[in-house]
């Protein structure tokens, strides 16, 4: 089974006449509290384990999509027209080709992202999720979100979680065709929860997540314990959300991220997404915790840290991390 087979199964005959001339769709970026690292199927982006994230309100990708009369897709990112041979456009066109098969339709795609692209801030998650939402509207497929989550997963695994706000769990599933590997929102919120994004570098990652996951699975002896760690952490994070226990939630999220990076550090050749500034910020967080400040962090496939704290700790965070961008995750 390949990606096109999955799309045929879900959408049927892919592209037809657009139902409307132009659509606009937004998808938020999401940050995993219990990470997805490792695939049980590389072609279909099926994960080895389930994962759980929180979406970042108003931060993500807005895409404006229409059919154009040209022979190529035209892609504009944050106001700049991108070259057809850029990595970004090639990845996007390859994804769109899955849906149009031999159909000659080409698109005008205008993307606005208010998060750094490819720097471990889940820009691809928001990007692919917004494209899938836009296609669903353009062709009036009217698919349920669960199915859209599967389609977004084919673009980038973590995109499966970017179709909702709040806490979202992506079920690993067990079926080879991935029809049980989709995300679902949790009904609970945590009104005091805030995220602080510390922008340390906008540079693109030294190694993409797919290649890094494969190398980790193949060469890190620590990776054997990763699924066990995830099962343990997922249980506790769900419990912390149900009981509104912030410190448990954020402590497990930090430990989960550090364990994921430990599997990468023990790979060969080693993978290290941290910069000296990343480590310095981690040490500042740990020093602040020793003084009683409840501040935690998580880190993805990039050098930037995302702090986790509650509304009452906002001032301390702003004082200690002058460049931080503070975002309340559940209300203004
Ligand atoms: O969706 P991908 O292939 O970009 O992988 C994302 C991996 C992490 O961001 C590191 C973890 C996660 O669960 O989002």
């Amino acid at each position: 089974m390949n990606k096109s087979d999955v799309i045929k199964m879900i959408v049927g005959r892919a592209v037809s006449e657009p139902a409307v001339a132009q659509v606009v769709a937004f998808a938020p970026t999401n940050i995993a509290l219990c990470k997805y690292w490792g695939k049980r199927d590389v072609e279909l982006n099926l994960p080895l384990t389930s994962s759980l994230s929180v979406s970042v309100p108003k931060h993500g990708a807005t895409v404006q999509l229409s059919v154009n009369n040209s022979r190529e897709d035209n892609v504009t990112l944050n106001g700049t027209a991108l070259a057809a041979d850029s990595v970004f456009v090639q990845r996007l066109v390859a994804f769109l080709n899955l849906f149009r098969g031999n159909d000659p339709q080409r698109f005008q795609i205008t993307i606005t992202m208010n998060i750094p692209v490819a720097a471990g801030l889940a820009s691809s998650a928001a990007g692919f999720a917004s494209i899938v939402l836009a296609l669903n509207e353009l062709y009036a497929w009217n698919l349920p979100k669960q199915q859209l989550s599967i389609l977004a997963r084919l673009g980038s695994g973590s995109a499966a979680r970017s179709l909702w706000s709040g806490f979202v769990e992506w079920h690993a599933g067990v079926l080879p065709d991935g029809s049980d590997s989709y995300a679902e929102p949790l009904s609970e919120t945590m009104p005091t929860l805030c995220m602080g994004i510390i922008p340390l570098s906008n540079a693109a990652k030294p190694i993409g997540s797919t290649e890094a996951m494969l190398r980790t699975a193949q060469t890190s002896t620590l990776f054997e314990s990763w699924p066990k760690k995830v099962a343990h952490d997922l249980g506790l994070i769900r419990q912390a959300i149900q009981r509104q226990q912030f410190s448990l939630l954020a402590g497990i999220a930090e430990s989960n991220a550090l364990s994921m990076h430990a599997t990468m550090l023990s790979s060969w050749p080693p993978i290290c997404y941290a910069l000296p500034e990343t480590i310095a910020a981690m040490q500042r967080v740990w020093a602040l915790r020793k003084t009683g400040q409840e501040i935690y962090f998580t880190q993805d496939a990039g050098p930037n840290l995302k702090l986790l704290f509650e509304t009452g700790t906002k001032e301390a965070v702003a004082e200690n991390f002058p460049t931080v961008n503070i975002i309340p995750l559940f209300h203004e």
Side-chain angles (χ1 to χ4, degrees), residues 32 35-37 124 156-158 161 205 209 213 260 300-301:
K35 308 289 185 193
Y36 146 57
W37 197 253
S124 64
S156 165
S158 55
R161 300 184 308 239
K205 342 176 165 179
S209 51
M213 283 183 204
M260 175 183 74
D300 291 287

Side-chain angles (χ1 to χ4, degrees), residues 30-37 39 45 51-53 91 120 122 124-125 153 155-161 170 205 208-210 213 260-261 264 273 299-302 306:
N30 75 78
I31 302 297
L33 302 172
C34 186
K35 308 289 185 193
Y36 146 57
W37 197 253
K39 305 188 192 216
N45 284 335
S51 57
L52 197 151
S53 63
R91 203 169 160 203
S124 64
R153 188 195 76 224
S156 165
S158 55
R161 300 184 308 239
W170 172 18
K205 342 176 165 179
S209 51
T210 296
M213 283 183 204
M260 175 183 74
H261 286 282
M264 293 188 223
Y273 284 111
Q299 182 197 353
D300 291 287
K306 296 103 192 185

Side-chain angles (χ1 to χ4, degrees), residues 31-36 49-53 161 226 229-231 233-234 237 252-253 256:
I31 302 297
L33 302 172
C34 186
K35 308 289 185 193
Y36 146 57
T49 67
S50 296
S51 57
L52 197 151
S53 63
R161 300 184 308 239
W226 172 246
K229 168 76 178 154
V230 169
D233 291 354
L234 260 181
I237 288 180
I252 294 287
N256 184 272

